[in-house]
Amino acid sequence: MNQKKRNYSFINLFLSLVLFFSLTIPALADSQTSEDFSVEAKAALALDFETGKIFYEKNSETELEIASLTKLISFYVIQTKIKNGELAWEDPVVISKNAATLSMLPELSNIPLVEGKSYSVKELFDAAVIVSANAATVALAEKIAGTEFAFVDLMKAQLIDWGIEEPFIVNASGLNNEDLPGEVYPGSTKTSENKLTAKEIALVARNLIRDFPETLAVSSQASLIYENSEQEESIMYTTNLLLPGMPLAKLGVDGLKTGTTDLAGRSLVATMKQEDRRVITVLLNAGDENNPDARYTETSRLLDYSFEYWEKKEVTKEGESVPTINPVPVQKSLTTEVPLIAQDSIELFLPRDEAVESAVTYTVDFLNKEKSLTAPIAANHEVATLAITYKDDPLGYLEPVADPTTLLLTSKMIEQASFLQLTWQKIQQFFTNIF
């Protein structure tokens, strides 16, 4: 059987706070390098949200069970339907017998749902995001597509659209099929679970945050106030202990999703923002029974590593020359050469202990295919294209990215010399060479 995912009652939260009150997560040591840094998980990935630059990877292309990380795909499909006007947050969702039955299983993450009762899309969505409510996710899937199986087809179509070929997705919640009432998705077995790679999960998370950033306003909430059928309010808590107010809270973390089953182990997709940088991390199957909080402590270490070891460094500066680019010879002028300057400022993520000069390669492609100029020449005349490559980058980007480029321009105006001026210049050069 699956290890069932827990709901946090007020008493459970209090005990957790007592247990973890004295626990501190060590910060990244100043001496940490990419060679000796690693995390305890079967697979992991860390990347910059904006650029997709990968900071760390471990078995990131190995397909593994993903448990409730599945819901990130569901969240995207749900919000796409709302964006397209096919669904509204206030729309009622009538709970089916299937969803109601699932919601009453106490060992699963859920909010109790009453068969035949209506809940708003927003109520069910918040429950799915904050407390990983499985039945709420199923109810939304049935509302959108008629059946959960049809919704799974929408999920798979979205993944394929992102370039994920033949994704193994068999339900909307991420539970093992044996925990779901009724028939299983065609082509799956009674014990099947959803599978993706850490890199594919990172792609899902990045697209979700990019296209629906409002998701973070929900995923950053540590608790949900739920009203049961007797109109009694109770508080349910997130299982993401890195969120504000939780025992292992980490400043800047505002999401995103936990996942736990026997097959998947304990997994976590987290995202954290510091100033203008956002990092996404994925840990699949972290820790074990002896270290149940490894997904939080290891994620915290991975976030620290990403922010502290990797820095944005300026590889070209607008209006300034590039040290390794030589001036261009000039003909028909008393000025024999002209320095070139970059049109744009360009930054790349590089390890903090690597100098720009040794880390990057500059490739010049002259626009006229000639490596000299003929006067007169205007200032800021376009001469060549400059491409910048991080030459020893072992990690690359989440999605294919072309090397950044900028134009190289003349740094000043060069006047054309007269025939007499050029002749006199040659005479001077002749005598200089002799004597």
Side-chain angles (χ1 to χ4, degrees):
M1 291 294 289
N2 290 345
Q3 178 180 328
K4 311 305 182 181
K5 290 177 278 186
R6 302 170 297 168
N7 288 322
Y8 277 82
S9 66
F10 180 79
I11 294 176
N12 286 336
L13 180 67
F14 175 79
L15 293 175
S16 297
L17 287 168
V18 172
L19 178 61
F20 293 112
F21 183 75
S22 60
L23 179 60
T24 57
I25 300 173
L28 180 68
D30 291 338
S31 61
Q32 187 75 72
T33 65
S34 60
E35 288 75 19
D36 60 19
F37 179 81
S38 65
V39 295
E40 294 182 17
K42 282 192 175 180
L45 194 77
L47 69 146
D48 175 63
F49 163 69
E50 182 181 0
T51 65
K53 177 70 187 77
I54 296 174
F55 299 141
Y56 177 85
E57 80 85 29
K58 178 180 180 181
N59 300 327
S60 64
E61 296 188 10
T62 300
E63 190 177 66
L64 296 169
E65 290 79 7
I66 59 172
S68 277
L69 303 187
T70 297
K71 294 186 178 73
L72 296 175
I73 314 167
S74 298
F75 301 159
Y76 191 97
V77 174
I78 293 165
Q79 290 179 100
T80 298
K81 293 297 181 180
I82 291 173
K83 179 181 178 180
N84 294 342
E86 302 173 58
L87 188 70
W89 288 118
E90 63 275 11
D91 282 353
V93 180
V94 179
I95 302 302
S96 67
K97 179 179 180 180
N98 179 59
T101 300
L102 180 64
S103 78
M104 296 303 174
L105 298 177
E107 65 273 26
L108 299 179
S109 294
N110 272 312
I111 58 170
L113 300 174
V114 179
E115 182 182 355
K117 183 179 177 179
S118 292
Y119 301 80
S120 72
V121 170
K122 180 61 174 171
E123 286 177 316
L124 296 175
F125 182 82
D126 286 0
V129 175
I130 298 170
V131 298
S132 197
N134 292 293
T137 306
V138 171
L140 287 169
E142 293 173 341
K143 169 70 174 180
I144 290 170
T147 67
E148 184 177 2
F149 293 170
F151 187 81
V152 169
D153 291 337
L154 296 178
M155 296 168 68
K156 293 171 70 172
Q158 181 61 71
L159 294 175
I160 293 170
D161 186 58
W162 286 332
I164 300 174
E165 299 180 359
E166 299 181 0
F168 190 78
I169 304 296
V170 298
N171 59 62
S173 64
L175 290 170
N176 190 287
N177 273 350
E178 68 177 346
D179 287 320
L180 298 172
E183 299 296 319
V184 300
Y185 184 77
S188 67
T189 70
K190 190 62 179 176
T191 58
S192 291
E193 281 191 26
N194 298 332
K195 295 180 181 180
L196 288 176
T197 70
K199 185 170 284 188
E200 290 166 345
I201 283 292
L203 181 64
V204 172
R206 188 182 183 211
N207 282 318
L208 178 63
I209 297 172
R210 181 195 62 205
D211 295 344
F212 301 107
E214 57 270 27
T215 306
L216 297 173
V218 183
S219 67
S220 61
Q221 298 178 43
S223 62
L224 173 75
I225 297 178
Y226 171 74
E227 187 177 279
N228 63 23
S229 58
E230 285 76 33
Q231 296 185 331
E232 298 172 338
E233 287 188 349
S234 59
I235 302 178
M236 307 184 76
Y237 292 93
T238 181
T239 52
N240 186 353
L241 303 186
L242 295 179
L243 289 178
M246 298 305 290
L248 300 180
K250 190 172 184 66
L251 184 64
V253 173
D254 51 6
L256 195 55
K257 192 73 194 71
T258 59
T260 308
T261 65
D262 278 348
L263 289 178
R266 296 171 173 85
S267 301
L268 174 63
V269 174
T271 182
M272 175 177 169
K273 189 172 184 181
Q274 283 187 354
E275 297 179 351
D276 62 341
R277 285 181 60 187
R278 178 177 289 282
V279 169
I280 297 172
T281 61
V282 179
L283 260 67
L284 300 183
N285 203 333
D288 52 32
E289 292 297 329
N290 297 321
N291 189 11
D293 294 317
R295 58 177 162 182
Y296 307 114
T297 56
E298 294 300 280
T299 291
S300 183
R301 292 179 59 247
L302 185 52
L303 287 166
D304 287 341
Y305 172 82
S306 300
F307 280 108
E308 295 178 22
Y309 182 72
W310 289 86
E311 297 177 350
K312 256 188 177 181
K313 297 185 180 183
E314 199 167 52
V315 295
T316 66
K317 189 169 185 178
E318 179 184 356
E320 294 190 6
S321 60
V322 180
T324 59
I325 305 301
N326 295 324
V328 176
V330 178
Q331 303 176 28
K332 294 187 178 182
S333 174
L334 297 179
T335 302
T336 59
E337 60 183 22
V338 60
L340 300 180
I341 58 175
Q343 184 182 60
D344 307 295
S345 293
I346 295 176
E347 293 181 325
L348 285 179
F349 276 107
L350 300 173
R352 64 180 180 185
D353 56 2
E354 282 197 49
V356 170
E357 294 76 14
S358 60
V360 303
T361 298
Y362 299 97
T363 304
V364 179
D365 183 17
F366 287 89
L367 299 179
N368 60 2
K369 305 305 177 185
E370 297 180 3
K371 298 181 180 180
S372 64
L373 299 173
T374 302
I377 307 166
N380 296 320
H381 175 71
E382 297 178 359
V383 178
T385 299
L386 179 69
I388 302 98
T389 305
Y390 177 20
K391 57 186 177 183
D392 294 322
D393 184 5
L395 299 172
Y397 290 76
L398 183 65
E399 299 175 86
V401 175
D403 289 337
T405 61
T406 185
L407 287 173
L408 291 175
L409 315 174
T410 53
S411 60
K412 58 184 178 180
M413 180 180 70
I414 305 296
E415 295 181 353
Q416 184 178 17
S418 67
F419 175 77
L420 290 176
Q421 287 174 316
L422 293 174
T423 301
W424 177 245
Q425 183 185 60
K426 291 180 180 179
I427 293 171
Q428 287 179 314
Q429 290 173 347
F430 175 77
F431 284 104
T432 299
N433 292 335
I434 292 178
F435 300 106

